[in-house]
Amino acid sequence: MGREVEKLQEIIDTHDNIVFFGGAGVSTESGIPDFRSQDGLYHQKYDYPPETILSHTFFMNKPDEFFKFYQDKMLCDTAKPNGAHLKLAELERSGKLKAVITQNIDNLHQMAGSKKVLELHGSVYRNHCMKCGKFHDFSYMKHAKGIPHCDCGGIVKPDVVLYEEGLDNNILNESVNAIANAQVLIIGGTSLAVYPAASLIDYFRGDYLVVINKSPTPRDRHANLLIQEPIGQVFSQIVVKGA
């Protein structure tokens, strides 16, 4: 265990109101591609840029192209929770972690056992008909041929926040309250480049700001503890007492 991880262990041991704010880097160790790294989706070749495809306008105008990309790149059912997901669930069970706030849509935190997960950008595991509102599961979307349709004939839309769409106000408010009341905020696996999600960090007034990310972030200079290592490897070294 390195000096930085020892310090993280000490912070966790001495506080009982911890909030975790995470992004794509939390899931890359589980095999889910992120967007901005060298091998991320933004650096792969498609007929349209991923940011364009994953926009509300594109979804409405070219749903066939949207769902080709969506099924190919966004629906990963082989990924399993890694050390970060599992340790965060342990921290919640021990009573120390009060909330996981995630920009991810992959459900891996819930698969690991976390209960209080605030999904800023929705989830690929929830899908609803745009016409009648009927729920459709992950498997339905994964195996749909072409544009997924409901029994009523409506298009089934993923409960994922696309570009040009607003975040859920209830989730936003819960996230703000959790961060504002936290003693410790751990930011992990995110470049903090996506707004308005990244702006939630501004509400933190607690004792320790911890940043765990392989590449630099705009908040590094404000961190009380900075660890530039893969987050799964870091959390795997943490011992949760009383979980």
Side-chain angles (χ1 to χ4, degrees):
M1 186 181 285
R3 185 173 56 82
E4 289 91 356
V5 180
E6 285 181 2
K7 179 62 177 174
L8 177 60
Q9 180 77 62
E10 179 188 322
I11 292 170
I12 289 171
D13 288 345
T14 54
H15 294 84
D16 59 7
N17 187 340
I18 302 169
V19 168
F20 179 80
F21 180 96
V26 179
S27 294
T28 50
E29 288 171 81
S30 293
I32 293 181
D34 65 359
F35 279 73
R36 291 175 174 77
S37 69
Q38 189 169 351
D39 300 319
L41 295 179
Y42 285 171
H43 294 273
Q44 298 178 24
K45 301 301 180 187
Y46 294 97
D47 291 341
Y48 304 90
E51 263 185 318
T52 299
I53 298 172
L54 295 173
S55 68
H56 180 80
T57 298
F58 193 91
F59 171 80
M60 298 301 291
N61 292 339
K62 295 182 182 290
D64 52 339
E65 293 288 338
F66 172 90
F67 280 111
K68 275 184 199 171
F69 178 89
Y70 183 78
Q71 287 183 314
D72 184 36
K73 292 298 178 184
M74 309 301 286
L75 297 181
C76 178
D77 55 0
T78 57
K80 298 286 186 277
N82 62 50
H85 300 106
L86 295 168
K87 199 66 67 171
L88 287 165
E90 270 191 70
L91 283 168
E92 183 184 49
R93 288 194 296 273
S94 75
K96 286 185 169 291
L97 185 76
K98 303 307 180 186
V100 168
I101 302 167
T102 180
Q103 299 171 79
N104 297 338
I105 58 176
D106 52 40
N107 206 49
L108 287 176
H109 285 293
Q110 290 92 332
M111 290 181 193
S114 290
K115 305 296 184 189
K116 183 67 171 181
V117 182
L118 300 171
E119 296 171 312
L120 293 172
H121 296 151
S123 171
V124 295
Y125 281 76
R126 295 189 302 269
N127 310 274
H128 294 91
C129 173
M130 297 175 70
K131 187 175 178 182
C132 73
K134 181 181 177 182
F135 173 86
H136 295 268
D137 63 14
F138 180 97
S139 178
Y140 186 87
M141 302 299 280
K142 180 77 173 177
H143 298 106
K145 303 299 182 188
I147 301 170
H149 284 91
C150 180
D151 300 336
C152 75
I155 293 177
V156 181
K157 184 179 184 294
D159 183 14
V160 170
V161 179
L162 302 176
Y163 291 102
E164 305 167 348
E165 294 179 345
L167 304 190
D168 182 283
N169 279 331
N170 291 330
I171 298 294
L172 272 178
N173 290 335
E174 278 195 74
S175 300
V176 167
N177 288 334
I179 290 172
N181 292 306
Q183 297 169 316
V184 177
L185 178 61
I186 302 175
I187 300 171
T190 173
S191 59
L192 293 175
V194 177
Y195 284 81
S199 62
L200 295 177
I201 309 305
D202 295 334
Y203 291 94
F204 180 62
R205 296 290 183 271
D207 300 329
Y208 284 97
L209 177 65
V210 179
V211 176
I212 307 170
N213 199 55
K214 290 195 293 184
S215 57
T217 82
R219 301 294 172 138
D220 289 359
R221 60 193 178 92
H222 301 292
N224 302 102
L225 176 63
L226 175 63
I227 305 177
Q228 292 185 311
E229 301 290 342
I231 190 165
Q233 294 179 26
V234 171
F235 269 108
S236 293
Q237 300 175 67
I238 296 299
V239 176
V240 181
K241 300 171 177 67

